[in-house]
Amino acid sequence: MSDFVFQWPSILLLGILVPLIGLLLARARRARRRLAEAVGETTRTARVLRDHLRLIALLLMIFALARPGYAPEREGSTRSARDVVFAIDVSRSMLAEDVVPSRLEVAKQGVRDALEVLGDHRVALVAYAGSASIICPLTYDHDFVRYMLDQLHPRSVEFGGTTLQSAVELAVDQVFMEDRKGGHDFVVLTDGGDHGSNMDRAKESLEGMEVDTLFVGLGDSKDAVPIPMEAQNGEAVFLEVDGEVVYTRLKDAELADFAASSARIDYFKAGTRPFHLGQVYQDYAADKSAPVMELDSHVMVYREAAFFFMIPAFLLLLFSERWGVRGLRIVLIAGLSFFALPEAVAAAEGSFSEQFDAAVRMLEAGEASDAAQSFSALYAAASRDGTNAEVLAAVQF
């Protein structure tokens, strides 16, 4: 195996348990030996070897849990998802309170709702009014998008007014990518007010990059409302121009007409009613393909080697718990000569039986002392070999 590694190396720290458990087992053996000596038992047992087998099995299991791997292969990672660019109108008209708490805050909450369903999508954030500004470039870090969204306000751009064209041109030049044509969605949250944009030119720019656009209209389309402001002394006032209070409403018809002029543009009228932009976007993008994007990062994939450790660990535990020394001896013999195993076992069992019968004959002949020595030797040999309890009981009897 080449380039062997442990993929979860921190698990190897569990290895410190092996010597600690070994000390506890040794202490238990000493206590058991003292107890056996106190009752006159002096025979050896296979417990030392069994404990060692258990410790080796535990160590092998720890190695297996650390996910050993070999033969690494470098694989590039890909994502299949669309890029979503949110453009938020931050003109003063978006401060109108015909939706609670304001059109702008509802737009920001709408983007937060959308982020909940855009797990594999890259997201960008653009603010626009009289000019446009990239608040957040395309990123998978949605938490950063949320943070930048909280900082959004009418002063996020340099000039007042409303020109959608500035947001479109900025996104086309600096956000949308040429190699991702057909994989961009441009979601515009606005009340539809616009001052001086060349809408035909904006539409051509979006179509040239094969961008799909969704307008979300916010505000009351029937009843115009004033725009609340804060005076320099902190007093709440309404926006005025030449001494006249400015009123605003959702330009619903203008947005609907613009959407109808292109197959790549859709319009959703949110108006003043509650809505979930995440669900709106999912319905809008349900039939759109998601291009595959090759990421710069690569991952190393290893072949799993845990079974190289788990199988020996299982066998060692099996031998230590079930057969002890005798079982291990049988396995070693099988590894050397499979065909010789039955004969070897039969010979061992035959030899024991013959010695037992000879001791019985001595006992029957009245040679009690010699018979006792033979039975004692048989008992010691049987104990070392892991002979079953019934045979040991017969010898001791």
PDB file of all heavy atoms in Angstrom, residues 25 29 44-57 316-317 319-321 323-329 332 384:
ATOM      1  N   LEU A  25      -5.658  -5.150  33.749  1.00  0.00           N
ATOM      2  CA  LEU A  25      -5.735  -6.601  33.570  1.00  0.00           C
ATOM      3  C   LEU A  25      -4.626  -7.310  34.340  1.00  0.00           C
ATOM      4  O   LEU A  25      -4.843  -8.388  34.927  1.00  0.00           O
ATOM      5  CB  LEU A  25      -5.652  -6.938  32.079  1.00  0.00           C
ATOM      6  CG  LEU A  25      -6.856  -6.527  31.224  1.00  0.00           C
ATOM      7  CD1 LEU A  25      -6.581  -6.800  29.752  1.00  0.00           C
ATOM      8  CD2 LEU A  25      -8.115  -7.242  31.683  1.00  0.00           C
ATOM      9  N   ARG A  29      -5.015 -10.093  37.270  1.00  0.00           N
ATOM     10  CA  ARG A  29      -4.377 -11.415  37.248  1.00  0.00           C
ATOM     11  C   ARG A  29      -3.634 -11.693  38.544  1.00  0.00           C
ATOM     12  O   ARG A  29      -3.667 -12.811  39.065  1.00  0.00           O
ATOM     13  CB  ARG A  29      -3.408 -11.518  36.054  1.00  0.00           C
ATOM     14  CG  ARG A  29      -4.092 -11.606  34.708  1.00  0.00           C
ATOM     15  CD  ARG A  29      -3.115 -12.088  33.634  1.00  0.00           C
ATOM     16  NE  ARG A  29      -1.934 -11.258  33.544  1.00  0.00           N
ATOM     17  CZ  ARG A  29      -1.822 -10.180  32.784  1.00  0.00           C
ATOM     18  NH1 ARG A  29      -2.866  -9.783  32.046  1.00  0.00           N
ATOM     19  NH2 ARG A  29      -0.703  -9.482  32.737  1.00  0.00           N
ATOM     20  N   ARG A  44      -1.088 -23.169  36.217  1.00  0.00           N
ATOM     21  CA  ARG A  44      -1.078 -21.994  35.351  1.00  0.00           C
ATOM     22  C   ARG A  44      -2.312 -21.996  34.461  1.00  0.00           C
ATOM     23  O   ARG A  44      -2.891 -23.036  34.180  1.00  0.00           O
ATOM     24  CB  ARG A  44       0.182 -21.987  34.485  1.00  0.00           C
ATOM     25  CG  ARG A  44       1.474 -21.859  35.250  1.00  0.00           C
ATOM     26  CD  ARG A  44       2.644 -21.903  34.289  1.00  0.00           C
ATOM     27  NE  ARG A  44       2.519 -20.884  33.263  1.00  0.00           N
ATOM     28  CZ  ARG A  44       3.285 -20.845  32.174  1.00  0.00           C
ATOM     29  NH1 ARG A  44       4.190 -21.791  31.965  1.00  0.00           N
ATOM     30  NH2 ARG A  44       3.123 -19.873  31.283  1.00  0.00           N
ATOM     31  N   THR A  45      -2.703 -20.837  34.014  1.00  0.00           N
ATOM     32  CA  THR A  45      -3.823 -20.710  33.087  1.00  0.00           C
ATOM     33  C   THR A  45      -3.380 -19.917  31.868  1.00  0.00           C
ATOM     34  O   THR A  45      -2.267 -19.398  31.814  1.00  0.00           O
ATOM     35  CB  THR A  45      -5.015 -19.977  33.735  1.00  0.00           C
ATOM     36  OG1 THR A  45      -4.649 -18.616  33.961  1.00  0.00           O
ATOM     37  CG2 THR A  45      -5.410 -20.631  35.052  1.00  0.00           C
ATOM     38  N   ALA A  46      -4.265 -19.856  30.893  1.00  0.00           N
ATOM     39  CA  ALA A  46      -3.969 -19.127  29.647  1.00  0.00           C
ATOM     40  C   ALA A  46      -4.433 -17.676  29.707  1.00  0.00           C
ATOM     41  O   ALA A  46      -4.516 -17.008  28.680  1.00  0.00           O
ATOM     42  CB  ALA A  46      -4.650 -19.831  28.471  1.00  0.00           C
ATOM     43  N   ARG A  47      -4.727 -17.178  30.895  1.00  0.00           N
ATOM     44  CA  ARG A  47      -5.314 -15.851  30.994  1.00  0.00           C
ATOM     45  C   ARG A  47      -4.368 -14.747  30.522  1.00  0.00           C
ATOM     46  O   ARG A  47      -4.799 -13.739  29.967  1.00  0.00           O
ATOM     47  CB  ARG A  47      -5.747 -15.589  32.438  1.00  0.00           C
ATOM     48  CG  ARG A  47      -6.642 -14.389  32.588  1.00  0.00           C
ATOM     49  CD  ARG A  47      -7.259 -14.347  33.963  1.00  0.00           C
ATOM     50  NE  ARG A  47      -8.101 -15.485  34.208  1.00  0.00           N
ATOM     51  CZ  ARG A  47      -9.374 -15.546  33.836  1.00  0.00           C
ATOM     52  NH1 ARG A  47      -9.908 -14.545  33.169  1.00  0.00           N
ATOM     53  NH2 ARG A  47     -10.092 -16.604  34.108  1.00  0.00           N
ATOM     54  N   VAL A  48      -3.051 -14.910  30.727  1.00  0.00           N
ATOM     55  CA  VAL A  48      -2.100 -13.883  30.294  1.00  0.00           C
ATOM     56  C   VAL A  48      -2.169 -13.694  28.783  1.00  0.00           C
ATOM     57  O   VAL A  48      -2.258 -12.584  28.274  1.00  0.00           O
ATOM     58  CB  VAL A  48      -0.664 -14.257  30.729  1.00  0.00           C
ATOM     59  CG1 VAL A  48       0.329 -13.238  30.158  1.00  0.00           C
ATOM     60  CG2 VAL A  48      -0.567 -14.289  32.251  1.00  0.00           C
ATOM     61  N   LEU A  49      -2.126 -14.828  28.080  1.00  0.00           N
ATOM     62  CA  LEU A  49      -2.180 -14.756  26.616  1.00  0.00           C
ATOM     63  C   LEU A  49      -3.507 -14.187  26.150  1.00  0.00           C
ATOM     64  O   LEU A  49      -3.564 -13.394  25.210  1.00  0.00           O
ATOM     65  CB  LEU A  49      -1.959 -16.146  26.020  1.00  0.00           C
ATOM     66  CG  LEU A  49      -1.988 -16.222  24.483  1.00  0.00           C
ATOM     67  CD1 LEU A  49      -0.961 -15.278  23.872  1.00  0.00           C
ATOM     68  CD2 LEU A  49      -1.750 -17.649  24.020  1.00  0.00           C
ATOM     69  N   ARG A  50      -4.599 -14.560  26.809  1.00  0.00           N
ATOM     70  CA  ARG A  50      -5.913 -14.035  26.440  1.00  0.00           C
ATOM     71  C   ARG A  50      -5.975 -12.520  26.594  1.00  0.00           C
ATOM     72  O   ARG A  50      -6.495 -11.807  25.742  1.00  0.00           O
ATOM     73  CB  ARG A  50      -6.997 -14.695  27.292  1.00  0.00           C
ATOM     74  CG  ARG A  50      -7.240 -16.151  26.965  1.00  0.00           C
ATOM     75  CD  ARG A  50      -8.221 -16.762  27.941  1.00  0.00           C
ATOM     76  NE  ARG A  50      -8.488 -18.163  27.620  1.00  0.00           N
ATOM     77  CZ  ARG A  50      -9.213 -18.971  28.384  1.00  0.00           C
ATOM     78  NH1 ARG A  50      -9.713 -18.518  29.527  1.00  0.00           N
ATOM     79  NH2 ARG A  50      -9.424 -20.226  28.019  1.00  0.00           N
ATOM     80  N   ASP A  51      -5.435 -12.026  27.689  1.00  0.00           N
ATOM     81  CA  ASP A  51      -5.427 -10.574  27.911  1.00  0.00           C
ATOM     82  C   ASP A  51      -4.610  -9.857  26.847  1.00  0.00           C
ATOM     83  O   ASP A  51      -4.982  -8.779  26.367  1.00  0.00           O
ATOM     84  CB  ASP A  51      -4.874 -10.259  29.304  1.00  0.00           C
ATOM     85  CG  ASP A  51      -5.853 -10.643  30.405  1.00  0.00           C
ATOM     86  OD1 ASP A  51      -7.031 -10.897  30.076  1.00  0.00           O
ATOM     87  OD2 ASP A  51      -5.445 -10.699  31.579  1.00  0.00           O
ATOM     88  N   HIS A  52      -3.474 -10.454  26.494  1.00  0.00           N
ATOM     89  CA  HIS A  52      -2.647  -9.845  25.451  1.00  0.00           C
ATOM     90  C   HIS A  52      -3.380  -9.804  24.118  1.00  0.00           C
ATOM     91  O   HIS A  52      -3.300  -8.811  23.378  1.00  0.00           O
ATOM     92  CB  HIS A  52      -1.326 -10.600  25.318  1.00  0.00           C
ATOM     93  CG  HIS A  52      -0.408 -10.382  26.481  1.00  0.00           C
ATOM     94  ND1 HIS A  52       0.721 -11.152  26.709  1.00  0.00           N
ATOM     95  CD2 HIS A  52      -0.455  -9.486  27.502  1.00  0.00           C
ATOM     96  CE1 HIS A  52       1.332 -10.723  27.794  1.00  0.00           C
ATOM     97  NE2 HIS A  52       0.634  -9.718  28.299  1.00  0.00           N
ATOM     98  N   LEU A  53      -4.097 -10.866  23.808  1.00  0.00           N
ATOM     99  CA  LEU A  53      -4.872 -10.896  22.565  1.00  0.00           C
ATOM    100  C   LEU A  53      -5.956  -9.819  22.575  1.00  0.00           C
ATOM    101  O   LEU A  53      -6.200  -9.157  21.561  1.00  0.00           O
ATOM    102  CB  LEU A  53      -5.508 -12.275  22.368  1.00  0.00           C
ATOM    103  CG  LEU A  53      -4.550 -13.438  22.088  1.00  0.00           C
ATOM    104  CD1 LEU A  53      -5.331 -14.737  21.979  1.00  0.00           C
ATOM    105  CD2 LEU A  53      -3.752 -13.183  20.822  1.00  0.00           C
ATOM    106  N   ARG A  54      -6.591  -9.628  23.712  1.00  0.00           N
ATOM    107  CA  ARG A  54      -7.626  -8.595  23.807  1.00  0.00           C
ATOM    108  C   ARG A  54      -7.045  -7.200  23.614  1.00  0.00           C
ATOM    109  O   ARG A  54      -7.629  -6.349  22.949  1.00  0.00           O
ATOM    110  CB  ARG A  54      -8.312  -8.690  25.168  1.00  0.00           C
ATOM    111  CG  ARG A  54      -9.151  -9.946  25.345  1.00  0.00           C
ATOM    112  CD  ARG A  54      -9.529 -10.141  26.791  1.00  0.00           C
ATOM    113  NE  ARG A  54     -10.257 -11.392  26.996  1.00  0.00           N
ATOM    114  CZ  ARG A  54     -10.416 -11.975  28.179  1.00  0.00           C
ATOM    115  NH1 ARG A  54      -9.875 -11.413  29.261  1.00  0.00           N
ATOM    116  NH2 ARG A  54     -11.100 -13.088  28.282  1.00  0.00           N
ATOM    117  N   LEU A  55      -5.885  -6.957  24.191  1.00  0.00           N
ATOM    118  CA  LEU A  55      -5.257  -5.639  24.044  1.00  0.00           C
ATOM    119  C   LEU A  55      -4.849  -5.380  22.599  1.00  0.00           C
ATOM    120  O   LEU A  55      -5.013  -4.271  22.078  1.00  0.00           O
ATOM    121  CB  LEU A  55      -4.041  -5.542  24.965  1.00  0.00           C
ATOM    122  CG  LEU A  55      -4.343  -5.521  26.464  1.00  0.00           C
ATOM    123  CD1 LEU A  55      -3.042  -5.546  27.263  1.00  0.00           C
ATOM    124  CD2 LEU A  55      -5.166  -4.289  26.838  1.00  0.00           C
ATOM    125  N   ILE A  56      -4.308  -6.398  21.951  1.00  0.00           N
ATOM    126  CA  ILE A  56      -3.935  -6.234  20.532  1.00  0.00           C
ATOM    127  C   ILE A  56      -5.179  -5.966  19.699  1.00  0.00           C
ATOM    128  O   ILE A  56      -5.175  -5.112  18.807  1.00  0.00           O
ATOM    129  CB  ILE A  56      -3.191  -7.479  20.031  1.00  0.00           C
ATOM    130  CG1 ILE A  56      -1.857  -7.632  20.764  1.00  0.00           C
ATOM    131  CG2 ILE A  56      -2.953  -7.388  18.529  1.00  0.00           C
ATOM    132  CD1 ILE A  56      -1.128  -8.924  20.455  1.00  0.00           C
ATOM    133  N   ALA A  57      -6.280  -6.671  19.996  1.00  0.00           N
ATOM    134  CA  ALA A  57      -7.533  -6.458  19.266  1.00  0.00           C
ATOM    135  C   ALA A  57      -8.050  -5.037  19.470  1.00  0.00           C
ATOM    136  O   ALA A  57      -8.525  -4.385  18.535  1.00  0.00           O
ATOM    137  CB  ALA A  57      -8.574  -7.480  19.711  1.00  0.00           C
ATOM    138  N   LEU A 316      -8.963 -12.187  16.754  1.00  0.00           N
ATOM    139  CA  LEU A 316      -8.249 -12.255  18.032  1.00  0.00           C
ATOM    140  C   LEU A 316      -9.219 -12.278  19.207  1.00  0.00           C
ATOM    141  O   LEU A 316      -9.024 -13.024  20.183  1.00  0.00           O
ATOM    142  CB  LEU A 316      -7.294 -11.068  18.148  1.00  0.00           C
ATOM    143  CG  LEU A 316      -6.057 -11.104  17.231  1.00  0.00           C
ATOM    144  CD1 LEU A 316      -5.248  -9.825  17.391  1.00  0.00           C
ATOM    145  CD2 LEU A 316      -5.191 -12.321  17.541  1.00  0.00           C
ATOM    146  N   LEU A 317     -10.263 -11.453  19.139  1.00  0.00           N
ATOM    147  CA  LEU A 317     -11.256 -11.468  20.210  1.00  0.00           C
ATOM    148  C   LEU A 317     -11.980 -12.802  20.271  1.00  0.00           C
ATOM    149  O   LEU A 317     -12.255 -13.326  21.343  1.00  0.00           O
ATOM    150  CB  LEU A 317     -12.278 -10.335  19.978  1.00  0.00           C
ATOM    151  CG  LEU A 317     -11.833  -8.927  20.359  1.00  0.00           C
ATOM    152  CD1 LEU A 317     -12.932  -7.921  20.028  1.00  0.00           C
ATOM    153  CD2 LEU A 317     -11.507  -8.849  21.852  1.00  0.00           C
ATOM    154  N   PHE A 319     -10.835 -15.770  19.347  1.00  0.00           N
ATOM    155  CA  PHE A 319      -9.952 -16.800  19.895  1.00  0.00           C
ATOM    156  C   PHE A 319      -9.759 -16.629  21.398  1.00  0.00           C
ATOM    157  O   PHE A 319      -9.749 -17.602  22.146  1.00  0.00           O
ATOM    158  CB  PHE A 319      -8.598 -16.753  19.189  1.00  0.00           C
ATOM    159  CG  PHE A 319      -8.690 -17.049  17.713  1.00  0.00           C
ATOM    160  CD1 PHE A 319      -7.789 -16.462  16.828  1.00  0.00           C
ATOM    161  CD2 PHE A 319      -9.668 -17.886  17.212  1.00  0.00           C
ATOM    162  CE1 PHE A 319      -7.873 -16.717  15.473  1.00  0.00           C
ATOM    163  CE2 PHE A 319      -9.755 -18.153  15.860  1.00  0.00           C
ATOM    164  CZ  PHE A 319      -8.857 -17.567  14.982  1.00  0.00           C
ATOM    165  N   SER A 320      -9.609 -15.357  21.837  1.00  0.00           N
ATOM    166  CA  SER A 320      -9.350 -15.133  23.259  1.00  0.00           C
ATOM    167  C   SER A 320     -10.568 -15.450  24.115  1.00  0.00           C
ATOM    168  O   SER A 320     -10.438 -15.960  25.229  1.00  0.00           O
ATOM    169  CB  SER A 320      -8.921 -13.677  23.489  1.00  0.00           C
ATOM    170  OG  SER A 320      -9.986 -12.781  23.194  1.00  0.00           O
ATOM    171  N   GLU A 321     -11.766 -15.181  23.616  1.00  0.00           N
ATOM    172  CA  GLU A 321     -12.974 -15.392  24.417  1.00  0.00           C
ATOM    173  C   GLU A 321     -13.510 -16.819  24.314  1.00  0.00           C
ATOM    174  O   GLU A 321     -14.091 -17.320  25.256  1.00  0.00           O
ATOM    175  CB  GLU A 321     -14.063 -14.402  23.968  1.00  0.00           C
ATOM    176  CG  GLU A 321     -13.695 -12.942  24.135  1.00  0.00           C
ATOM    177  CD  GLU A 321     -13.462 -12.584  25.586  1.00  0.00           C
ATOM    178  OE1 GLU A 321     -14.043 -13.252  26.466  1.00  0.00           O
ATOM    179  OE2 GLU A 321     -12.697 -11.641  25.848  1.00  0.00           O
ATOM    180  N   TRP A 323     -11.826 -19.880  22.637  1.00  0.00           N
ATOM    181  CA  TRP A 323     -10.957 -21.048  22.676  1.00  0.00           C
ATOM    182  C   TRP A 323      -9.681 -20.867  23.483  1.00  0.00           C
ATOM    183  O   TRP A 323      -9.059 -21.825  23.880  1.00  0.00           O
ATOM    184  CB  TRP A 323     -10.569 -21.452  21.251  1.00  0.00           C
ATOM    185  CG  TRP A 323     -11.740 -21.957  20.475  1.00  0.00           C
ATOM    186  CD1 TRP A 323     -12.481 -23.053  20.714  1.00  0.00           C
ATOM    187  CD2 TRP A 323     -12.299 -21.354  19.318  1.00  0.00           C
ATOM    188  NE1 TRP A 323     -13.473 -23.187  19.788  1.00  0.00           N
ATOM    189  CE2 TRP A 323     -13.387 -22.149  18.907  1.00  0.00           C
ATOM    190  CE3 TRP A 323     -11.987 -20.208  18.571  1.00  0.00           C
ATOM    191  CZ2 TRP A 323     -14.160 -21.842  17.801  1.00  0.00           C
ATOM    192  CZ3 TRP A 323     -12.762 -19.904  17.468  1.00  0.00           C
ATOM    193  CH2 TRP A 323     -13.842 -20.721  17.099  1.00  0.00           C
ATOM    194  N   GLY A 324      -9.248 -19.654  23.691  1.00  0.00           N
ATOM    195  CA  GLY A 324      -8.030 -19.418  24.439  1.00  0.00           C
ATOM    196  C   GLY A 324      -6.806 -19.961  23.731  1.00  0.00           C
ATOM    197  O   GLY A 324      -6.673 -19.905  22.515  1.00  0.00           O
ATOM    198  N   VAL A 325      -5.875 -20.560  24.505  1.00  0.00           N
ATOM    199  CA  VAL A 325      -4.617 -21.045  23.958  1.00  0.00           C
ATOM    200  C   VAL A 325      -4.847 -22.151  22.944  1.00  0.00           C
ATOM    201  O   VAL A 325      -4.217 -22.198  21.896  1.00  0.00           O
ATOM    202  CB  VAL A 325      -3.712 -21.551  25.101  1.00  0.00           C
ATOM    203  CG1 VAL A 325      -2.424 -22.139  24.545  1.00  0.00           C
ATOM    204  CG2 VAL A 325      -3.415 -20.419  26.065  1.00  0.00           C
ATOM    205  N   ARG A 326      -5.786 -23.017  23.243  1.00  0.00           N
ATOM    206  CA  ARG A 326      -6.033 -24.129  22.345  1.00  0.00           C
ATOM    207  C   ARG A 326      -6.514 -23.640  20.976  1.00  0.00           C
ATOM    208  O   ARG A 326      -6.088 -24.132  19.936  1.00  0.00           O
ATOM    209  CB  ARG A 326      -7.057 -25.070  22.968  1.00  0.00           C
ATOM    210  CG  ARG A 326      -7.258 -26.339  22.158  1.00  0.00           C
ATOM    211  CD  ARG A 326      -8.297 -27.213  22.799  1.00  0.00           C
ATOM    212  NE  ARG A 326      -8.469 -28.459  22.077  1.00  0.00           N
ATOM    213  CZ  ARG A 326      -9.433 -29.329  22.322  1.00  0.00           C
ATOM    214  NH1 ARG A 326     -10.309 -29.071  23.279  1.00  0.00           N
ATOM    215  NH2 ARG A 326      -9.519 -30.445  21.630  1.00  0.00           N
ATOM    216  N   GLY A 327      -7.403 -22.660  21.006  1.00  0.00           N
ATOM    217  CA  GLY A 327      -7.900 -22.129  19.739  1.00  0.00           C
ATOM    218  C   GLY A 327      -6.812 -21.456  18.945  1.00  0.00           C
ATOM    219  O   GLY A 327      -6.714 -21.636  17.729  1.00  0.00           O
ATOM    220  N   LEU A 328      -5.961 -20.671  19.616  1.00  0.00           N
ATOM    221  CA  LEU A 328      -4.865 -20.018  18.912  1.00  0.00           C
ATOM    222  C   LEU A 328      -3.905 -21.048  18.338  1.00  0.00           C
ATOM    223  O   LEU A 328      -3.419 -20.904  17.211  1.00  0.00           O
ATOM    224  CB  LEU A 328      -4.130 -19.079  19.870  1.00  0.00           C
ATOM    225  CG  LEU A 328      -2.981 -18.268  19.254  1.00  0.00           C
ATOM    226  CD1 LEU A 328      -3.496 -17.394  18.116  1.00  0.00           C
ATOM    227  CD2 LEU A 328      -2.287 -17.439  20.316  1.00  0.00           C
ATOM    228  N   ARG A 329      -3.656 -22.099  19.092  1.00  0.00           N
ATOM    229  CA  ARG A 329      -2.750 -23.145  18.620  1.00  0.00           C
ATOM    230  C   ARG A 329      -3.322 -23.841  17.390  1.00  0.00           C
ATOM    231  O   ARG A 329      -2.618 -24.130  16.423  1.00  0.00           O
ATOM    232  CB  ARG A 329      -2.527 -24.155  19.751  1.00  0.00           C
ATOM    233  CG  ARG A 329      -1.502 -25.212  19.433  1.00  0.00           C
ATOM    234  CD  ARG A 329      -1.230 -26.051  20.666  1.00  0.00           C
ATOM    235  NE  ARG A 329      -0.640 -25.231  21.734  1.00  0.00           N
ATOM    236  CZ  ARG A 329      -0.422 -25.679  22.966  1.00  0.00           C
ATOM    237  NH1 ARG A 329      -0.755 -26.906  23.305  1.00  0.00           N
ATOM    238  NH2 ARG A 329       0.115 -24.885  23.877  1.00  0.00           N
ATOM    239  N   LEU A 332      -2.831 -21.526  14.380  1.00  0.00           N
ATOM    240  CA  LEU A 332      -1.456 -21.523  13.896  1.00  0.00           C
ATOM    241  C   LEU A 332      -1.130 -22.797  13.134  1.00  0.00           C
ATOM    242  O   LEU A 332      -0.462 -22.779  12.098  1.00  0.00           O
ATOM    243  CB  LEU A 332      -0.495 -21.343  15.084  1.00  0.00           C
ATOM    244  CG  LEU A 332      -0.570 -19.980  15.784  1.00  0.00           C
ATOM    245  CD1 LEU A 332       0.362 -19.975  16.994  1.00  0.00           C
ATOM    246  CD2 LEU A 332      -0.194 -18.862  14.820  1.00  0.00           C
ATOM    247  N   ARG A 384      -3.273 -26.316  31.104  1.00  0.00           N
ATOM    248  CA  ARG A 384      -2.479 -25.494  30.188  1.00  0.00           C
ATOM    249  C   ARG A 384      -3.066 -25.523  28.775  1.00  0.00           C
ATOM    250  O   ARG A 384      -3.005 -24.539  28.051  1.00  0.00           O
ATOM    251  CB  ARG A 384      -1.032 -25.983  30.171  1.00  0.00           C
ATOM    252  CG  ARG A 384      -0.244 -25.651  31.429  1.00  0.00           C
ATOM    253  CD  ARG A 384       1.251 -25.842  31.191  1.00  0.00           C
ATOM    254  NE  ARG A 384       1.564 -27.214  30.813  1.00  0.00           N
ATOM    255  CZ  ARG A 384       1.837 -28.182  31.695  1.00  0.00           C
ATOM    256  NH1 ARG A 384       1.831 -27.927  32.999  1.00  0.00           N
ATOM    257  NH2 ARG A 384       2.115 -29.408  31.282  1.00  0.00           N
TER     258      ARG A 384
END
